[in-house]
Amino acid sequence: MCGIIGYVGERAVIPVLLEGLRRLEYRGYDSAGVAFFDEGKISVIRALGKLFNLQELLAGYGKNPRGIGLGHTRWATHGEPAEHNAHPHGDCRQELVVVHNGIIENYHTLRGMLEQKGHKFRSQTDTEVIPHLIEEELEAGFDLPEAVRRALSKVEGAYAIGVFWAKAPHMLIAARYQSPLVLGIGEGENFMASDIPAILPWTKNVIFLDDGEMAILTKDSCQILSLRDGRKIAKEISRIHWDAAMAEKAGFKHFMLKEIYEQPQAILNTFRGRLDPETGEVNIPEICLSPEEVLSLKKICILACGTSYHAGLVGKYLFERWVRLPVEVELGSEFRYRDLLIDKNTLVIPISQSGETADTLASLRRAREVGAKAVAICNVLGSTITRESDGTIYTHAGPEIGVASTKAFTSQLTALLLLVLYFGQMRKSLSEQERRRIARSLLRVPYQVEKLIEKVHPEIKDLAYDYQRKEHFLYLGRNILFPIALEGALKLKEISYIHAEGYAAGEMKHGPIALIDENMPVMALAPANHHVYEKMISNIEEVRSRRGEILALGTEGDETLARVATRTVSLPECEWEVSPILYTIPLQLLAYEVAVVRGCDVDQPRNLAKSVTVE
Ligand code: HGA
């Protein structure tokens, strides 16, 4: 949420900032703004709404400044989306500019104190206290890095910031505490950004800034200091293997559609090199747990938010069946404030596409305090959650830009299944025969998903057209497909703004069945080989006898289902363990196609942003 890009070097700065912001726009699109140094002073240009509006404004700027600049795309937390609340924000004299991702929790107090000293504020944001605090320190005689460090010592909350000053226009300052920030190290130029794709066109060499660190960037140098005491810190440069084109739409109309179509590859990349196709053995030493540690586990606790939480719920069914350990799946925003009943024999598994999700990260930290071990499932190399866990299973799904998560979800499901096979083989809770069976079915999944997309996309398009005007939807599943019902409903509501609820089908009679009438379409997930199939059919009958319309996903050739459902979309027969992956695909396509026919902005749904780095 909120995207920051910063540049110092010799290039024309506006195109760099705009390209960076274009690649960060998934993080927020309430407003966008840039600041650069031009003819001896700082120019700030900001526009309400999507980046396009800023682009239009900049097209009329008429000059091509070089050297230093900052850009920001906003997801508002404090202060309505409006031009005057757009970043960058400045000090009283507009000699200093700041972009910020995060929340300054004590901004009321700080603002009151600064106003008493005569500072004039122009916005309602929490962010604006930062340039004013820095201004105070500059006036007290400190140089820019020290002024930033001292200013930040007064701030409580979360921040990733970029700063530059008209009196030192060769120097860009970056600092972070609980919001992500990565530095891009170029030749004769340096960058800072909230996320890797923003700097990929120019460099693949990056430094991940940690909490409590700041950086002084000039075109030829990058120095990292501790925010606590200003001491120098040596950091390693990491090399990124994504390329710039991976963050492009590649001819698809939307990122979401491209990412749906990329799933066969993303799933394959997740298990490639980790799953022996002959023996079904899994090798994931990167989880960094010894066999003794795996054997000593008494409990698993999965921590996640949103779509990743649904992946975690699927994980619970898998772990409980094949690893025989109790599993709790916890929402990050709840877990972090709960009384924790976990200890060093608990394994926590934080799941997050970005590895920066604020609530998941805070939960991980609490679990670490009581000695729990942690193995993360993440897509972004070097992200904070991966650095704070004992080990990580990277999903290798490539950059996910669409705000509605798709390929990250199915690769998280794949990674969870790998972990289940790995623990099952180590703890001997899974026989070799079962392991081979599950491995064989996972190996088939990329091919099955590819064929499935090809087959169902036109059918789903028709369905979406016919049901586009419905205002409510129910999604029903049982057992391992219950979380997929939740995920299907979430996808529909987030991008098409249709009210949708996911339910465990057996729960219908405890309340939701009262909602059923001819205006309530019900999407039922009913594979014929699941042990709860008959129960599912009974639940479908119950809906049908109340004039509900059933849209069903089920197994090819299932005549019983075809008889009870109004419309059916058939899927290939697949094993229970991989069925969540396959049954997700048509639901993603349905949400996508409904959103398209309703004219919604698929990649940038209202009020949302990706990579939720605030509480
Ligand atoms: N609090 C700042 C920045 C918002 C943000 O980081 N969102 O994710 C604002 O409201 O502008």
Side-chain angles (χ1 to χ4, degrees), residues 320-339:
E320 290 183 348
R321 176 172 291 187
W322 294 123
V323 184
R324 310 299 298 158
L325 277 175
V327 180
E328 287 169 11
V329 190
E330 304 282 351
L331 289 166
S333 53
E334 288 298 315
F335 181 87
R336 63 186 292 186
Y337 297 114
R338 280 240 315 277
D339 293 323

Side-chain angles (χ1 to χ4, degrees), residues 210-230:
D210 278 301
D211 279 350
E213 291 178 350
M214 61 181 282
I216 308 170
L217 300 172
T218 66
K219 75 184 180 54
D220 302 309
S221 67
C222 167
Q223 198 175 69
I224 318 283
L225 307 176
S226 153
L227 275 172
R228 187 157 39 85
D229 51 17

Side-chain angles (χ1 to χ4, degrees), residues 1-2 74-78 87 100-103 125-127 614:
M1 283 180 164
C2 280
R74 179 169 187 243
W75 186 82
T77 64
H78 293 59
H87 301 217
H100 166 225
N101 167 208
I103 291 176
T125 63
D126 52 334
T127 302
V614 294

